[in-house]
Amino acid sequence: MNQVAVVTGGGSGLGREMALALAAAGYDVLVTGRTEASLRDTVAIGKVKGYGVLDVNDGPAVRRFFGELDRIDVLVNNAGTGAPAAAVPDVSEEDWRRVIDTNLTGSFLCAQAAFARMLEQDPKGGRIINNGSISAHVPRPQSIAYTASKHAITGLTKQLELDGRPHGITACQIDIGNAATAMTERMEQGALQPDGSIAVEPTFDPKIVADFVVQIAQLPTSVAVPHLMVMASGMPYAGRG
């Protein structure tokens, strides 16, 4: 029986790359997202088994989706969003709640539902991989909602790892810096730096991230990888702030 992997936000970008790589490695992969056409494209491109249209911050829908799975061996919590750059006084409550609801609450709801399924299945256990960010360590200017959400992912991952320990459930956070997707196109045109300047930043092939996800997913659950950071060489990280 093939192992089952779920990738949230699997309709494009990093999520699509992760889903395709897991499918190529032999997993039965299901992708979720809010846009059905994009999910269909992911399924059509590779060996992805299927999809579910899902808003990750809709708790009943999340529980329903995971409750219908026979088992889940790997959850990749990839769904996320950002907000327009804004000084702290100018951040709208709507933008704040949207980012926190998707990046943090959505990751929790999916992890919670997957955790419950992993406890019930035979054999029990599995792996949860959370998409963090360099912003989980050091912020970019004018990005308070995104930064707060990604710092919180670190706490979520640590707690999942601790509470999953007796049950063969492990958790990993991958902090990614400037993988070349639609989300990082602005880096290649110039991004705001802490000193107020605009600078072009290097990016790297997102397939490299997908390969790391496969490597972590294939490890036995007796091995934990609590944290992994992968970023474009030369991007502002060390010394950022």
Side-chain angles (χ1 to χ4, degrees):
M1 179 177 64
N2 287 348
Q3 291 194 314
V4 177
V6 174
V7 180
T8 69
S12 62
L14 273 171
R16 176 175 287 175
E17 294 292 348
M18 294 171 182
L20 294 175
L22 286 165
Y27 287 83
D28 286 344
V29 178
L30 301 172
V31 289
T32 74
R34 292 181 295 180
T35 306
E36 185 171 11
S38 297
L39 296 171
R40 285 181 174 176
D41 288 345
T42 298
V43 172
I45 290 170
K47 299 178 181 179
V48 175
K49 184 176 181 180
Y51 68 87
V53 178
L54 181 67
D55 184 340
V56 294
N57 61 34
D58 181 342
V62 168
R63 289 185 286 274
R64 188 162 52 249
F65 174 82
F66 283 92
E68 291 174 354
L69 300 179
D70 292 330
R71 68 175 296 109
I72 176 171
D73 299 283
V74 179
L75 166 66
V76 183
N77 256 331
N78 171 72
T81 191
V88 172
D90 300 326
V91 176
S92 70
E93 181 178 342
E94 180 183 6
D95 280 342
W96 171 271
R97 291 186 182 277
R98 177 174 53 81
V99 172
I100 297 299
D101 284 350
T102 301
N103 295 1
L104 177 58
T105 303
S107 293
F108 162 70
L109 290 171
C110 291
Q112 181 187 46
F115 199 104
R117 173 55 62 203
M118 290 173 179
L119 287 176
E120 296 171 354
Q121 62 197 20
D122 184 22
K124 70 177 181 178
R127 193 176 297 274
I128 298 170
I129 302 174
N130 292 324
N131 187 343
S133 171
I134 298 297
S135 291
H137 302 267
V138 287
R140 286 190 176 277
Q142 301 185 352
S143 60
I144 192 167
Y146 187 81
T147 298
S149 73
K150 292 303 183 179
H151 273 66
I153 288 294
T154 300
L156 177 69
T157 305
K158 289 179 178 179
Q159 195 67 53
L160 289 168
E161 173 64 28
L162 177 60
D163 291 351
R165 187 182 297 167
H167 310 291
I169 299 172
T170 68
C172 171
Q173 178 172 327
I174 300 184
D175 292 326
I176 303 161
N178 288 10
T181 66
M183 191 174 181
T184 60
E185 285 179 354
R186 63 188 177 91
M187 307 300 175
E188 299 175 16
Q189 307 301 318
L192 179 64
Q193 303 298 307
D195 64 1
S197 64
I198 302 295
V200 173
E201 297 186 12
T203 59
F204 72 103
D205 189 342
K207 289 184 174 62
I208 294 171
V209 178
D211 289 342
F212 276 120
V213 168
V214 172
Q215 291 176 45
I216 293 168
Q218 290 178 328
L219 292 171
T221 55
S222 58
V223 178
V225 183
H227 177 245
L228 173 69
M229 182 183 292
V230 55
M231 65 183 187
S233 179
M235 73 161 287
Y237 166 66
R240 189 162 106 186

